[in-house]
Amino acid sequence: AQSVTQPDIHITVSEGASLELRCNYSYGATPYLFWYVQSPGQGLQLLLKYFSGDTLVQGIKGFEAEFKRSQSSFNLRKPSVHWSDAAEYFCAVGPHQGGKLIFGQGTELSVKP
Amino acid sequence: SAVISQKPSRDICQRGTSLTIQCQVDSQVTMMFWYRQQPGQSLTLIATANQGSEATYESGFVIDKFPISRPNLTFSTLTVSNMSPEDSSIYLCSVADRNTEAFFGQGTRLTVV
């Protein structure tokens, strides 16, 4: 079965601390992987994506993610979190860039001063 | 990137009634999708809106409950029919082409009372 798992429902980090959000996937074909962010009352904004090539990808707002095929993981990281990063983060997988997506459950990030 | 206008942004509806949500894109796109995000949950794909033909529904979603139209490459509607409180969700329109990532509208927050 195709699925995406985000094990952490809610994470709280201090401003300036590093962040890692976990994502594991199960997908029959070559996966196209995405991280989206959803701020309260907003739609989804793409942070970064991975299709092939360098397994460490850079995104917007200082985020990066590392694809590890052996672990079926695509974890999102940020070296130093800002208060404005507080939001819901979704990992997603699809058959190609523009295909229908399977989303993880989401991780809510809180940032404390 | 595509600019998506989704209307209404929110609504409160009586049970047993229907609501039609509109999704307008500022450019022609190949694919349009409708997702549902139930309170505190992730996004679940309802259907793929096909231009000029019947939508393709995911398991658990049926045309009688969620009729979809897509008369052209820039516009689609989703109707939530015979609503019950369980239909209270955020409904999101998404657009993509095969070689671009998916873009999302701001969503329609529906409350059924």
Side-chain angles (χ1 to χ4, degrees):
Chain A
Q2 300 174 339
S3 65
V4 177
T5 301
Q6 292 179 247
D8 305 305
I9 296 174
H10 188 199
I11 284 181
T12 299
V13 298
S14 298
E15 191 168 16
S18 64
L19 170 71
E20 182 170 28
L21 302 182
R22 296 182 290 166
C23 173
N24 293 95
Y25 67 90
S26 174
Y27 201 73
T30 300
Y32 284 68
L33 294 156
F34 308 85
W35 274 99
Y36 285 86
V37 60
Q38 185 180 38
S39 299
Q42 302 296 310
L44 275 72
Q45 181 182 22
L46 180 70
L47 287 175
L48 46 77
K49 58 190 177 185
Y50 173 78
F51 311 125
S52 63
D54 191 345
T55 56
L56 184 64
V57 294
Q58 302 297 320
I60 62 172
K61 304 184 180 185
F63 285 93
E64 66 179 27
E66 184 172 14
F67 172 66
K68 292 185 177 180
R69 184 183 301 276
S70 62
Q71 299 178 19
S72 297
S73 68
F74 188 56
N75 294 347
L76 181 71
R77 301 195 293 246
K78 186 169 185 178
S80 178
V81 170
H82 188 263
W83 64 267
S84 61
D85 293 325
E88 187 91 21
Y89 291 81
F90 292 97
C91 180
V93 64
H96 50 77
Q97 280 207 67
K100 55 186 184 182
L101 299 175
I102 300 170
F103 283 85
Q105 299 91 322
T107 298
E108 183 181 358
L109 173 65
S110 298
V111 180
K112 58 183 181 181
Chain B
S1 63
V3 177
I4 304 168
S5 173
Q6 201 173 322
K7 296 180 181 179
S9 59
R10 58 177 62 231
D11 207 341
I12 301 173
C13 300
Q14 296 291 323
R15 67 178 68 199
T17 64
S18 298
L19 176 71
T20 296
I21 303 167
Q22 298 181 358
C23 178
Q24 178 74 55
V25 193
D26 67 342
S27 60
Q28 293 185 344
V29 291
T30 305
M31 285 166 277
M32 296 183 78
F33 307 98
W34 288 96
Y35 289 84
R36 181 177 72 181
Q37 186 178 19
Q38 295 177 297
Q41 303 295 314
S42 184
L43 286 81
T44 301
L45 181 65
I46 297 172
T48 302
N50 300 310
Q51 192 240 337
S53 64
E54 190 172 289
T56 304
Y57 290 84
E58 298 298 307
S59 176
F61 297 96
V62 296
I63 187 171
D64 290 346
K65 177 67 175 177
F66 298 101
I68 289 171
S69 76
R70 190 177 175 193
N72 55 52
L73 292 177
T74 64
F75 185 78
S76 177
T77 65
L78 167 73
T79 299
V80 186
S81 302
N82 189 25
M83 287 183 287
S84 67
E86 291 70 35
D87 294 320
S88 298
S89 298
I90 299 173
Y91 293 86
L92 295 109
C93 171
S94 174
V95 303
D97 281 301
R98 188 170 180 85
N99 295 318
T100 69
E101 66 269 19
F103 297 96
F104 287 81
Q106 297 286 72
T108 296
R109 183 178 295 272
L110 171 62
T111 301
V112 183
V113 297

